[in-house]
Amino acid sequence: MAAVQGVRGCFLRGPLRVRPGRGCSSGAPVRQQQQQQALVAAPAPAQELPITRRKGFLTEHAAPFSAFLTDSFGRQHNYLRISLTEKCNLRCQYCMPEEGVQLTPKSELLTTQEIITLARLFVKEGVDKIRLTGGEPLIRPDVVDIVAQLYKLEGLQTIAVTTNGINLARLLPRLKEAGLDAINISLDTLVPAKFEFIVRRKGFHKVMEGINKAVELGYNPVKVNCVVMRGLNEDELLDFVVLTKNQPLDVRFIEYMPFDGNKWNFKKMVSYKEMLDTVRQRWPDLEKLPCEASSTAKAYKVPDFQGQISFITSMSEHFCGSCNRLRITADGNLKVCLFGNSEVSLRDQLRSGASEDELVQIIGAAVGRKKKQHAGMFNISQMKNRPMILIGG
């Protein structure tokens, strides 16, 4: 399917809104139904549509996916990650250079209205999942309001956030009420002193409090992101697995990835297969779980454990062939690949008065230029790209 040519697809819109619930074993949550309006023009009153009938209806009436969000390799991009800020209250070694980063002036960052305008446009074209990232998204003062406004977008099924957890316990009740469906919490060690070394700040107990609050409020699974670095925290793999025994956690072990300023070295990277071997030595009956095609994670479960573990294999076994993700940076640039250095400013187009159709054409052209796969870990380590903090993950 051409990336720009063709008529924009029409999508099923409207009242099929759902509440937090569990999807496939990857933990991709969807909203269970709140209210169902009549599906045909009839005088009968609105009534609830059972989830099985709802899925059947969606399948039967599904329209072609937007040509503008489909690249030249046929990948359909229905997942958008939006960075709300470049600022962060931690200084994680793999994310931010020790000397810090040059922050973009506030006037050049996306406003709340610009974020919602772009989100609405992408959802209209077929995006059904939005993840809010940073920096640290929960330090943005209006983050609850942003979630509430996103929740109103018809067609959007999942609103997620990736956070360092420092402010999570305090904000989560309001975020859940506003419509937040899914949470990823970064935690790279279970040792408080090591935590302080890795993130160059205090806060371990606040992160643990945030994880516990998420479990308490019924999020299932609560995803915990752990970047594994040789000589730093690879000795804690088994301790992290044990966390999943009695809690609905999905601990996601992430291969260390190269970004500007994080002093990436191949020798520091612990591969997925090495991590898996370590876990299997302790739990030989570890079970591999099925997952959806576009998932970035290889999921496993220790029998009789409540939670599960996953591996994000960006470096050793890339998943570019099924990539469905696009990113908007806090300063309004569209990135079609996390590891690519090609960007298009949607902020500038918005502020110059571009029409919706013009924006869609620009987005479609960028998506159409997306490469088949990233350049490989050694080439990526030599490429000029933003530090992770300025991308948004």
Side-chain angles (χ1 to χ4, degrees):
M1 181 180 287
V4 179
Q5 298 301 319
V7 180
R8 258 190 287 163
C10 296
F11 302 94
L12 181 66
R13 300 286 176 244
L16 298 173
R17 303 295 296 182
V18 288
R19 289 191 300 271
R22 171 127 185 171
C24 80
S25 60
S26 68
V30 294
R31 295 186 195 142
Q32 304 304 320
Q33 171 187 321
Q34 280 188 325
Q35 182 178 359
Q36 171 63 35
Q37 296 178 353
L39 298 177
V40 294
Q47 58 183 354
E48 290 248 338
L49 186 69
I51 189 68
T52 52
R53 287 183 56 204
R54 176 185 181 278
K55 289 180 178 178
F57 180 86
L58 289 171
T59 301
E60 181 181 350
H61 294 270
F65 194 83
S66 171
F68 295 98
L69 297 185
T70 303
D71 67 19
S72 58
F73 300 97
R75 294 172 294 200
Q76 298 177 340
H77 298 78
N78 65 330
Y79 179 8
L80 179 65
R81 302 171 70 101
I82 303 175
S83 175
L84 297 185
T85 179
E86 296 176 346
K87 295 180 179 179
C88 188
N89 44 6
L90 300 181
R91 295 291 183 272
C92 300
Q93 294 186 25
Y94 52 82
C95 183
M96 184 186 291
E98 187 172 2
E99 65 275 13
V101 295
Q102 184 70 40
L103 295 176
T104 302
K106 184 177 180 180
S107 63
E108 297 177 19
L109 298 175
L110 290 178
T111 66
T112 300
Q113 188 54 53
E114 288 169 337
I115 289 171
I116 300 303
T117 296
L118 289 174
R120 182 180 296 110
L121 178 60
F122 275 90
V123 171
K124 186 176 180 181
E125 290 300 314
V127 163
D128 58 21
K129 178 177 180 179
I130 290 179
R131 177 174 297 278
L132 303 177
T133 67
E136 170 47 42
L138 300 192
I139 66 173
R140 181 160 174 144
D142 60 350
V143 62
V144 175
D145 180 57
I146 290 174
V147 170
Q149 291 193 57
L150 291 176
Y151 187 78
K152 297 175 183 177
L153 298 180
E154 294 181 351
L156 184 60
Q157 295 181 9
T158 303
I159 303 171
V161 69
T162 295
T163 173
N164 61 30
I166 297 293
N167 294 337
L168 185 61
R170 175 172 57 87
L171 289 175
L172 191 52
R174 293 168 56 206
L175 287 167
K176 183 178 182 181
E177 184 178 357
L180 184 69
D181 298 302
I183 307 169
N184 288 45
I185 304 166
S186 297
L187 179 65
D188 305 307
T189 178
L190 300 174
V191 180
K194 193 187 294 186
F195 175 92
E196 192 171 331
F197 173 76
I198 293 175
V199 309
R200 306 183 181 112
R201 296 290 187 275
K202 296 181 184 296
F204 173 80
H205 298 291
K206 287 185 177 181
V207 178
M208 295 304 295
E209 183 183 357
I211 292 173
N212 292 333
K213 177 62 71 172
V215 171
E216 175 190 326
L217 291 180
Y219 285 92
N220 186 355
V222 176
K223 294 185 178 181
V224 176
N225 292 347
C226 176
V227 177
V228 181
M229 296 164 281
R230 193 178 308 280
L232 195 56
N233 63 347
E234 87 277 19
D235 60 331
E236 296 186 61
L237 284 171
L238 303 185
D239 295 332
F240 271 100
V241 177
V242 170
L243 282 183
T244 70
K245 184 174 183 178
N246 299 313
Q247 297 186 89
L249 304 182
D250 179 3
V251 175
R252 295 150 59 88
F253 298 116
I254 302 173
E255 291 180 342
Y256 184 35
M257 297 176 282
F259 292 97
D260 272 16
N262 73 352
K263 299 179 181 178
W264 183 86
N265 185 307
F266 173 71
K267 294 179 181 179
K268 293 181 182 178
M269 192 198 83
V270 184
S271 73
Y272 146 64
K273 287 186 176 179
E274 182 179 345
M275 290 188 276
L276 181 60
D277 286 344
T278 299
V279 176
R280 273 200 166 133
Q281 286 176 24
R282 173 64 179 82
W283 291 282
D285 54 351
L286 188 71
E287 300 174 354
K288 193 173 193 314
L289 300 176
C291 207
E292 56 194 30
S294 60
S295 176
T296 62
K298 294 177 172 63
Y300 293 81
K301 181 181 181 69
V302 178
D304 299 324
F305 276 27
Q306 186 175 351
Q308 67 181 56
I309 62 171
S310 304
F311 300 91
I312 312 297
T313 63
S314 307
M315 296 292 95
S316 64
E317 294 184 17
H318 70 73
F319 31 79
C320 302
S322 59
C323 182
N324 67 337
R325 290 163 292 283
L326 300 171
R327 291 171 171 81
I328 297 177
T329 61
D331 57 351
N333 281 6
L334 174 66
K335 283 181 73 76
V336 297
C337 175
L338 173 62
F339 301 106
N341 51 20
S342 177
E343 301 182 0
V344 176
S345 177
L346 301 182
R347 176 204 64 202
D348 290 352
Q349 297 297 327
L350 274 175
R351 295 182 182 181
S352 65
S355 68
E356 180 177 306
D357 284 342
E358 288 171 333
L359 282 168
V360 169
Q361 291 285 345
I362 291 165
I363 292 166
V367 172
R369 293 190 295 268
K370 184 168 180 173
K371 296 179 180 179
K372 184 177 181 179
Q373 62 189 58
H374 67 57
M377 57 183 157
F378 295 108
N379 290 326
I380 292 172
S381 66
Q382 303 300 317
M383 289 169 56
K384 185 66 178 174
N385 194 5
R386 297 178 182 228
M388 175 62 89
I389 184 110
L390 298 185
I391 294 175

